[in-house]
Amino acid sequence: MNSAVAAMVSPSQANLWQRVNQTPEVPATTPAALLLDIASRRADRPAVITGQRELTYAELLGLAQTVAAHAPGPVVICVEPGWEQVVAVVAALVGGQRFVVASPDASQSARWGQLASMPGGLVLTQSWLENRLRWPEGTQRICLDSVQPERSEARQQLVDPASVACLAPHPITHDGLATPITDLIERFGLGHDDRLLAVCPLGDEVSIAAILMMLLSGGAVVVPDDIDLRTPAVWVDLMLEHRVTVWHSPPALAGLLAEHLHQRGDDRPEQLRIVMLGGEPFPLSLAGWLRRALGDQPRLVNLGPGAGAGIWSTCYELDEPDARRGHLPIGAPLAATSTYILSDAQLPCPAWVNGRLHLGGRLLAPSDQDPTEAMGETVVRTVHSGRLLPNGVLELGGEDDTRITVSGHTFNLRDIEAALATHEDVLHAAAVAAGESSVAFVKVAPGRQATGPQLLDYLRTKMSPYLLPERIETVGSFPLTPSGRIDRAALAARVETHPATTTTPAPIALGVTNSDLIERACALAAQILDVADVAPDMNLFDVGATSVQLVRIAVRAEVELKIKVDVEELLRFPSIGVLVSSGRPEGDAIDASQWIDEGVIFDPLERIAFKERRPGVRHQLTEVAGIPLADGETGDLARRRTHRRFQIEQPVPQQALAHLLGHLRRLDDADEPKYAYPSAGSLYPVQAYLTVNAGRVEGIDEGSYYYHPELHRIIPLAPGAQVDAKAHAWVNQAAARDAAFSLYLVADQDAIAPMYGTRSRDYALIEAGAMCQLLMGAAAGCGLGLCPVGEMDDTVLREPLRLKESHALLHTLLGGLPAELDTAEAEMLARMGSR
């Protein structure tokens, strides 16, 4: 590093990067040298296990050396999954020849192009592919399934560790294959008792790393049949049969495994001890669901991209990931590798500062990239952006082709995926560009329910409104590339083929009305919010606005500015620009194309008209003769209503709360468990929990409680615990802040799943609905008001309610002494359909 550059890097910053790159000094080596040593010591141990054939290390090496003897030049491997793919890779390595993988499913031009890039290349294939595929005239081919090992004394081919071994898809040297793999073997104690299930077809760094990880440790590779590579049920059967201990794949395939194990139940691969993922971002959400599916025993490992500096560059073992960041770090460098985050000026970035990932070290292979210098060593630029965390761990932010510009703001699509990955109902997410915006696709976690609009509302609490995707679509499964990664190109093509019929309104739409109207609306909002000034593009929630205050602003705007306000739109995008642009003069026609969700009515007048049609009644049967029934008593049912505002000056009498909860108690005269509401199999798995705000219920301290239905008492769980109102949807946050107490109906899956399996959640939801109706009907007689809310971030409840993994929040009711709405606000809420 020259003196001018050195002067610009602080000593503490330079020391941090030096500590990051203090990797073990290991001698250069080759996979061939290590394989020959292992084969000599473990000749009779199994190396490859398939449904058709098993190979010991002696048999594997014998076949590989026979093939290598007929391969004087580069090798093109074109095989379907089976023992032949392992023989082909080992043959190229022990022969010291560069190899490339051509997929049998690729087009003829693609396969011929790969052969053209390897002049004089020998094609290693299988007999059934030999009859099916065509190659240029004069191409030499060997069908691996027809090879018989020739008797000859094993000898080691002299191979230069620094020579290129393969293109997968970037150049990797023999040393770049061997050194990172042996580092991982030592870190995680891999040995001859280990087994790995090779779920990725041969073709990229994941599949090659999976093969070498077992062979260089003396373990065995279990290869499924080609037809089973996308069948998680077969994966698990093979893992159980062969006692598989190691999993190595892209995260998308691990997501399929987690989903299947959740549905499968208790028959999980108990021997699995290591899960290594690489090739695409490892999302936080997937880590959580893998833990649920596999338990705490397996070690979860994230591997960073090699990009020409070894097959992998970094390693990170998950401990307790930061729940605020949706993509997991890639860790610190592996042996003989160095990593840097450099700025555009090619200076090392301090901790937390974003820059470009550069790789250096002994394992660099020849590439088209112009090398540069960092901290006195040669490094090459990658396509990845990232940053260094203060603990010396690297975190990636995205790639060159995931950066887009929206409304003049440049950001990375990976930011959307990372934000979605913090939602516990999400298993995996992928975002793609869509014109000047983006579209996100989400695979919902097994057993969970989440819609695109709900997830979009969640994103609004995580991201700037300018950067939100145009929409979020939930998918049953993601399209995958042949290597098992999410096929984002296929998702982008889906967006182009099926564009949205509606578009998300921009958060700000200025210029649609005159500036005087905007100025008056800003002044009105500032008065209601009690702030000095409000800008048209300001997010009103950022200055402390509540949903109730937004309704008040809308009411005043209609009265004073003479516009009809779309309150639903205002709650989605809380700014004066949206209030004014969504408003229209009284009597103007409604333009349905502006609404966000196709088929959903947002216009207040249309909503009223729709409700008045009472579509839930089969009106066509009204004139049909029927049997009249005698009138019955409705009791308190006629008094049932939803309250969204509560008195905050007067505490709730303890007797009133006791009377309300008494409707959930076990009936004293029952011989078996029986309550005032039904439950599948009389199991009653839905439990009631309670949080009380400070000073809001007489004689009950602030904190969380469990309602014991057999003893009719509340049991303290976490004294002083509070639940932030921001855990609720925006429209419910004001009610949550004003409520004296909150009731949570929580299902314990362990109390019903053994009898009803996959239907358990359905039956629990039915039970929770019965409980909710019972409480809502009883509240008026207790002098209380309740507000049922269906959307809440239940992760904040895990600790205060002492919930287990088997617990799932089904419904929430906010409660207190009811307060009357003023007339204008009541009418506005009625128009929104909130009552």
Side-chain angles (χ1 to χ4, degrees):
M1 182 167 58
N2 61 51
S3 57
V5 173
M8 301 176 69
V9 180
S10 68
S12 60
Q13 182 179 329
N15 290 335
L16 176 59
W17 281 111
Q18 288 173 357
R19 291 197 303 272
V20 168
N21 290 310
Q22 285 179 347
T23 58
E25 290 293 335
V26 295
T29 187
T30 67
L34 298 173
L35 278 169
L36 287 168
D37 176 63
I38 290 171
S40 66
R41 293 184 288 109
R42 306 198 179 276
D44 296 330
R45 297 283 301 184
V48 185
I49 301 172
T50 71
Q52 292 76 36
R53 185 173 182 179
E54 293 190 10
L55 297 176
T56 65
Y57 274 90
E59 292 169 333
L60 171 62
L61 191 59
L63 286 170
Q65 289 181 324
T66 298
V67 173
H70 297 279
V75 171
V76 176
I77 302 175
C78 184
V79 296
E80 291 179 341
W83 59 267
E84 296 91 347
Q85 69 185 31
V86 184
V87 171
V89 170
V90 175
L93 293 175
V94 299
Q97 302 298 346
R98 178 184 307 196
F99 71 90
V100 66
V101 178
S103 170
D105 298 324
S107 65
Q108 177 175 298
S109 60
R111 287 184 286 104
W112 286 29
Q114 287 179 306
L115 186 61
S117 68
M118 309 283 272
L122 170 71
V123 176
L124 302 182
T125 186
Q126 295 151 317
S127 57
W128 56 92
L129 295 178
E130 170 72 5
N131 298 326
R132 192 175 84 203
L133 304 178
R134 295 180 56 206
W135 294 96
E137 191 71 26
T139 300
Q140 184 183 1
R141 299 180 295 279
I142 294 179
C143 294
L144 296 169
D145 53 313
S146 302
V147 171
Q148 296 297 324
E150 300 171 357
R151 292 184 177 275
S152 61
E153 183 177 347
R155 64 183 184 86
Q156 181 176 350
Q157 179 78 24
L158 294 178
V159 180
D160 180 6
S163 63
V164 174
C166 65
L167 304 173
H170 50 267
I172 304 175
T173 65
H174 288 269
D175 193 15
L177 289 176
T179 296
I181 294 297
T182 53
D183 188 350
L184 293 171
I185 289 172
E186 292 177 6
R187 286 176 187 239
F188 299 107
L190 301 181
H192 63 270
D193 290 330
D194 283 302
R195 301 286 184 272
L196 180 145
L197 186 68
V199 293
C200 297
L202 193 61
D204 65 2
E205 68 271 34
V206 178
S207 57
I208 296 170
I211 292 173
L212 292 181
M213 198 173 297
M214 283 298 96
L215 298 184
L216 300 188
S217 65
V221 183
V222 180
V223 184
D225 293 334
D226 186 28
I227 196 173
D228 296 327
L229 279 185
R230 291 293 185 270
T231 310
V234 176
W235 296 346
V236 178
D237 290 343
L238 289 173
M239 294 166 78
L240 294 171
E241 178 183 355
H242 299 290
R243 302 174 68 82
V244 166
T245 59
V246 182
W247 174 278
H248 187 26
S249 79
L253 293 186
L256 295 181
L257 176 66
E259 183 178 15
H260 173 74
L261 288 174
H262 178 86
Q263 296 167 347
R264 189 179 181 115
D266 58 356
D267 191 15
R268 66 187 187 188
E270 300 290 349
Q271 298 296 319
L272 191 65
R273 66 186 188 89
I274 299 173
V275 175
M276 295 186 182
L277 302 182
E280 62 182 345
F282 186 170
L284 172 74
S285 52
L286 176 59
W289 284 99
L290 283 172
R291 287 289 186 216
R292 290 180 174 91
L294 298 170
D296 294 330
Q297 177 184 348
R299 303 166 73 175
L300 303 184
V301 180
N302 193 20
L303 299 173
I311 197 163
W312 298 119
S313 61
T314 63
C315 173
Y316 177 75
E317 182 176 356
L318 276 65
D319 183 14
E320 290 295 331
D322 188 341
R324 296 170 298 176
R325 294 198 292 274
H327 282 152
L328 301 172
I330 60 170
L334 290 166
T337 302
S338 55
T339 58
Y340 295 95
I341 303 295
L342 301 184
S343 67
D344 291 340
Q346 302 301 299
L347 293 173
C349 294
W352 296 114
V353 176
N354 290 331
R356 176 74 57 172
L357 174 66
H358 288 67
L359 300 178
R362 189 187 72 214
L363 307 182
L364 286 179
S367 69
D368 296 333
Q369 289 261 333
D370 292 330
T372 186
E373 188 176 290
M375 304 292 291
E377 68 170 303
T378 300
V379 296
V380 293
R381 181 180 185 271
T382 73
V383 300
H384 302 277
S385 61
R387 60 185 178 181
L388 178 68
L389 304 183
N391 59 356
V393 168
L394 293 165
E395 184 179 73
L396 293 187
E399 302 89 58
D400 286 344
D401 58 2
T402 61
R403 293 178 63 82
I404 65 172
T405 300
V406 177
S407 302
H409 299 265
T410 300
F411 82 111
N412 207 295
L413 292 170
R414 296 284 193 243
D415 293 339
I416 296 175
E417 298 173 10
L420 286 169
T422 62
H423 193 293
E424 74 163 4
D425 288 345
V426 171
L427 180 64
H428 224 131
V432 297
E436 295 184 355
S437 184
S438 61
V439 173
F441 295 86
V442 168
K443 169 66 178 174
V444 177
R448 298 301 178 96
Q449 295 179 345
T451 65
Q454 288 172 343
L455 293 172
L456 194 57
D457 285 340
Y458 175 78
L459 271 191
R460 290 189 178 98
T461 69
K462 298 288 183 179
M463 302 182 67
S464 165
Y466 296 97
L467 308 182
L468 291 171
E470 180 181 295
R471 65 185 185 276
I472 297 178
E473 297 184 12
T474 57
V475 296
S477 61
F478 279 111
L480 300 180
T481 65
S483 61
R485 296 168 169 86
I486 293 178
D487 192 341
R488 287 174 168 80
L491 292 175
R494 182 184 302 182
V495 171
E496 294 174 1
T497 306
H498 305 287
T501 56
T502 58
T503 57
T504 303
I508 305 168
L510 303 180
V512 297
T513 52
N514 61 68
S515 58
D516 179 63
L517 184 61
I518 295 174
E519 184 177 343
R520 291 171 61 196
C522 289
L524 184 153
Q527 179 185 10
I528 293 175
L529 300 178
D530 194 23
V531 295
D533 188 27
V534 170
D537 60 350
M538 180 182 292
N539 186 325
L540 299 180
F541 284 130
D542 291 342
V543 293
T546 67
S547 56
V548 172
Q549 287 175 316
L550 290 181
V551 171
R552 291 173 182 167
I553 292 172
V555 170
R556 293 275 299 277
E558 290 197 349
V559 172
E560 299 177 19
L561 305 182
K562 306 301 181 184
I563 58 173
K564 184 74 68 176
V565 177
D566 177 4
V567 184
E568 191 79 22
E569 184 80 346
L570 179 62
L571 290 172
R572 287 178 180 270
F573 302 103
S575 72
I576 296 304
V578 166
L579 178 140
V580 173
S581 63
S582 72
R584 58 185 186 281
E586 296 279 0
D588 275 11
I590 299 170
D591 179 11
S593 64
Q594 67 181 294
W595 310 122
I596 296 174
D597 296 311
E598 182 180 8
V600 177
I601 302 171
F602 287 112
D603 180 75
L605 298 179
E606 288 191 7
R607 292 169 73 90
I608 292 173
F610 182 81
K611 289 167 61 177
E612 289 178 347
R613 289 197 294 271
R614 305 190 310 282
V617 177
R618 298 183 64 179
H619 297 290
Q620 66 271 27
L621 299 181
T622 301
E623 302 302 325
V624 178
I627 302 173
L629 302 176
D631 292 337
E633 294 295 328
T634 59
D636 288 336
L637 293 178
R639 300 169 60 193
R640 186 209 65 78
R641 62 170 293 186
T642 296
H643 293 268
R644 302 186 64 86
R645 296 187 64 189
F646 305 101
Q647 297 181 29
I648 58 176
E649 298 85 5
Q650 183 178 353
V652 171
Q654 185 181 133
Q655 184 59 35
L657 180 59
H659 186 193
L660 179 69
L661 293 176
H663 290 78
L664 303 181
R665 70 186 302 177
R666 176 175 173 173
L667 302 180
D668 293 334
D669 58 350
D671 295 330
E672 62 178 16
K674 189 174 181 63
Y675 296 76
Y677 53 90
S679 177
S682 295
L683 295 172
Y684 297 98
V686 182
Q687 305 162 348
Y689 293 81
L690 177 75
T691 56
V692 175
N693 290 330
R696 300 300 305 283
V697 178
E698 292 179 351
I700 300 179
D701 294 333
E702 179 184 45
S704 60
Y705 300 83
Y706 166 67
Y707 173 69
H708 199 304
E710 296 186 345
L711 303 177
H712 185 47
R713 65 179 58 168
I714 56 174
I715 313 298
L717 296 175
Q722 296 179 334
V723 176
D724 194 334
K726 292 182 179 180
H728 291 271
W730 290 343
V731 71
N732 297 321
Q733 288 180 6
R737 278 190 288 268
D738 290 348
F741 60 88
S742 298
L743 283 171
Y744 309 97
L745 304 182
V746 176
D748 186 350
Q749 296 296 325
D750 289 347
I752 187 173
M755 288 185 60
Y756 290 103
T758 57
R759 297 299 306 275
S760 299
R761 181 174 175 84
D762 294 339
Y763 293 151
L765 282 167
I766 293 171
E767 181 175 329
M771 296 169 70
C772 180
Q773 176 62 24
L774 183 64
L775 292 169
M776 291 292 295
C782 302
L784 297 175
L786 293 178
C787 176
V789 295
E791 185 175 345
M792 181 181 182
D793 178 10
D794 62 352
T795 58
V796 302
L797 300 176
R798 292 282 163 186
E799 181 61 28
L801 301 189
R802 303 293 190 258
L803 300 182
K804 304 180 297 184
E805 287 296 326
S806 62
H807 285 124
L809 176 67
L810 301 181
H811 207 49
T812 304
L813 297 102
L814 309 175
L817 297 176
E820 293 299 324
L821 289 169
D822 65 67
T823 303
E825 288 181 32
E827 291 177 354
M828 179 69 74
L829 289 172
R831 284 168 42 190
M832 294 170 59
S834 300
R835 301 181 65 194

